[in-house]
Amino acid sequence: MAYHLLQRDRPAALHLARALDHAVESVKHCSKCNNFSEEEICVLCRSERRETDLLCVVEMPADLLMMEQAQCYRGMYFVLMGRLSPLDGIGARELPLERLLKRAQELSCEVILATNFTVREKQPRITLRHYCGHRVSRFTHRTRIAVGGELEHVDSGTLAQAVLERRAITE
Ligand code: ZN
């Protein structure tokens, strides 16, 4: 990409460099939801139009974006910024799970696990549950995104159905 821009479009290269420089300097993590934000608390967490009786845990900012685009959820979020996967060396210490626990306790609400677990990895869900407080639910198998599904590849209709048909985790 750098070679291409240097050879074909130097103004664009400069624009990209400045934009990246600005992002590196000013973008941090929202202290509530952990998503990228230029403010201490992001626009979504500051909004008074959001419902605070639901907290949805997603892996990446793109997942949050998908949920927002589907317009099927009005609650709060927590973005893990990664996938809990002990087999790949990403355990509880590598993700901000203590902050998730703090947020779940602060809101004291139902927590929806909208994370992508594969069949072989049941442990991450058990670990995550520990950090989500006592009322935890997840999407059902029927909507086909509970196990091994990638949230960002799910259409809006299916996502809306998943939110409606979520099921409490009791195991
Ligand atoms: Zn936020």
Side-chain angles (χ1 to χ4, degrees), residues 97-156:
L97 298 185
E98 290 295 338
R99 285 185 51 210
L100 167 61
L101 178 63
K102 194 174 149 231
R103 186 66 176 139
Q105 288 172 338
E106 190 176 274
L107 290 172
S108 185
C109 66
E110 178 186 342
V111 178
I112 305 172
L113 275 183
T115 46
N116 307 317
F117 295 113
T118 59
V119 177
R120 66 190 175 129
E121 294 184 280
K122 194 179 174 186
Q123 190 56 41
R125 192 169 71 236
I126 296 169
T127 305
L128 263 182
R129 266 194 61 203
H130 175 72
Y131 290 93
C132 287
H134 55 282
R135 281 163 58 204
V136 190
S137 56
R138 68 185 183 109
F139 297 153
T140 61
H141 291 274
R142 210 141 53 104
T143 45
R144 291 199 207 155
I145 51 177
V147 179
E150 298 285 339
L151 206 57
E152 57 184 310
H153 299 133
V154 176
D155 67 89
S156 300

Side-chain angles (χ1 to χ4, degrees), residues 21-36:
D21 187 47
H22 175 74
V24 169
E25 290 293 329
S26 60
V27 175
K28 48 197 167 209
H29 293 278
C30 168
S31 63
K32 300 277 183 194
C33 70
N34 199 41
N35 198 7
F36 289 126

